[in-house]
Amino acid sequence: STMTRAFTARFDIFINSTFRSNLGSLAKQSFYIVSFPHQEIRKAILKDYVFLHNSRFTQRWAERFWGPNRGLVVCPTFSVAVPAPSAYAAKEKLALSIGRITDRGHGKNQHSIIEAFRATAGNPDYADWRLCLVGGFDHRDARDAAYLARITEMAAGDPRIELLPNCPRATVNALLAKSAIYVHAAGLGQPEDKPEYHEHFGIAPLEACLFGAWPVVYAKGGPADLVKDLVAGDTYGHFDEFVAVLRHAMQKAATIDHEAVAASARAFCAENDKRFQSYLAESAKRP
């Protein structure tokens, strides 16, 4: 049967996690998980929910699109494993990027990452650095297959670069443990007024920070906010700046306090979890 606003009245708690939903709620408590706000929302439902925004970036755009709403920033940290410091004790001259291999939607711009890293080719200061690109890939999708072929060809000119589509989770964890730098490029080159094409939160950058990697991320979107929150990492606004910032991060890698980065990320997750649990506890006391 089709879910209706009237049907929700039977619930004590109703959680709406459907993207672009316009379903109202009559439940005693109603939560709407906002992956990103859609502009066609029916204003009548704004009073029905507490909106759980997945980042401050998402919340800012929800306020711009919808106006005032009962909102709480709840970053998706609950499913992210927190490694012990011993898991990343031995860092290498490795730059890592994790993201779905595609050039559609808010793609991860692997081609730009390869291009920025290749700009260090021939310089002896970076000769022993490696770049590894990890990500899910759908071989049945012709457009995604063409994109993988494109970045594979780009990487072929530099033996320091490795592509690992659909690699096992154990391999990802091993790379996170060894990587000194984490590189993220989602949003690069996208118009500022197209926020849906930027990274809304960025679980992969947070996960890399929990492993002590120094994040180098695009200056708009969730990862840029994360860099501010952790007081760790670098941001860049355009491609030439990306090249310069990446080079600088590689140059200073030996001085990075990886445990300090990880400790800041752990504190961020703990504070996010505590804030949401405190909100739920207070809500339970209300009649």
Side-chain angles (χ1 to χ4, degrees):
S1 62
T2 302
M3 179 68 73
T4 63
R5 186 170 187 263
F7 186 81
T8 65
R10 68 190 65 195
F11 301 116
D12 293 317
I13 299 174
F14 179 72
I15 301 171
N16 186 345
S17 62
T18 305
F19 182 55
R20 300 179 69 85
S21 174
N22 267 318
L23 175 68
S25 176
L26 294 173
K28 291 177 182 175
Q29 282 192 314
S30 302
F31 299 97
Y32 190 123
I33 297 174
V34 187
S35 299
F36 200 72
H38 62 291
Q39 296 189 57
E40 299 79 32
I41 198 163
R42 290 192 298 107
K43 294 300 175 77
I45 78 169
L46 292 177
K47 67 181 187 301
D48 289 353
Y49 290 97
V50 171
F51 293 90
L52 305 180
H53 305 288
N54 65 1
S55 68
R56 293 204 314 275
F57 177 75
T58 294
Q59 183 186 48
R60 288 196 297 270
W61 280 99
E63 289 172 348
R64 187 177 299 189
F65 289 158
W66 303 345
N69 61 85
R70 288 185 298 158
L72 186 71
V73 174
V74 182
C75 303
T77 62
F78 307 99
S79 63
V80 180
V82 177
S86 59
Y88 50 87
K91 289 297 187 184
E92 300 177 3
K93 290 184 176 181
L94 172 64
L96 175 67
S97 189
I98 301 172
R100 184 182 164 205
I101 297 172
T102 183
D103 64 350
R104 69 187 73 208
H106 54 103
K108 310 305 180 183
N109 284 328
Q110 286 93 344
H111 62 286
S112 296
I113 296 173
I114 292 171
E115 192 175 351
F117 186 80
R118 286 205 63 180
T120 67
N123 188 321
D125 292 343
Y126 311 106
D128 52 355
W129 273 87
R130 293 184 297 133
L131 169 68
C132 190
L133 297 165
V134 172
F137 168 69
D138 185 356
H139 62 86
R140 298 164 300 179
D141 188 299
R143 179 171 166 179
D144 288 355
Y147 184 66
L148 177 60
R150 175 190 171 192
I151 62 175
T152 299
E153 184 176 354
M154 290 179 66
D158 194 328
R160 302 172 303 155
I161 303 173
E162 185 176 21
L163 299 177
L164 291 174
N166 295 334
C167 69
R169 181 68 216 190
T171 302
V172 176
N173 286 345
L175 291 166
L176 284 164
K178 292 187 289 188
S179 58
I181 294 172
Y182 180 81
V183 186
H184 207 66
L188 176 61
Q190 296 290 353
E192 192 168 345
D193 62 352
K194 294 286 185 182
E196 62 272 24
Y197 293 143
H198 295 96
E199 192 71 77
H200 306 146
F201 173 62
I203 290 178
L206 173 61
E207 190 172 31
C209 291
L210 285 165
F211 275 88
W214 184 262
V216 173
V217 304
Y218 181 59
K220 298 187 187 305
D225 283 339
L226 182 67
V227 163
K228 292 175 190 171
D229 288 332
L230 302 190
V231 196
D234 297 306
T235 61
Y236 58 88
H238 52 79
F239 180 77
D240 289 344
E241 190 177 13
F242 181 17
V243 174
V245 167
L246 179 59
R247 285 186 174 190
H248 181 63
M250 292 161 75
Q251 288 167 0
K252 71 180 181 184
T255 66
I256 292 171
D257 186 340
H258 296 288
E259 173 50 24
V261 176
S264 189
R266 290 195 298 267
F268 174 85
C269 292
E271 177 59 32
N272 179 70
D273 296 354
K274 180 182 176 182
R275 184 172 63 248
F276 186 47
Q277 289 164 3
S278 297
Y279 179 82
L280 291 179
E282 288 299 315
S283 296
K285 295 176 186 176
R286 297 181 196 131

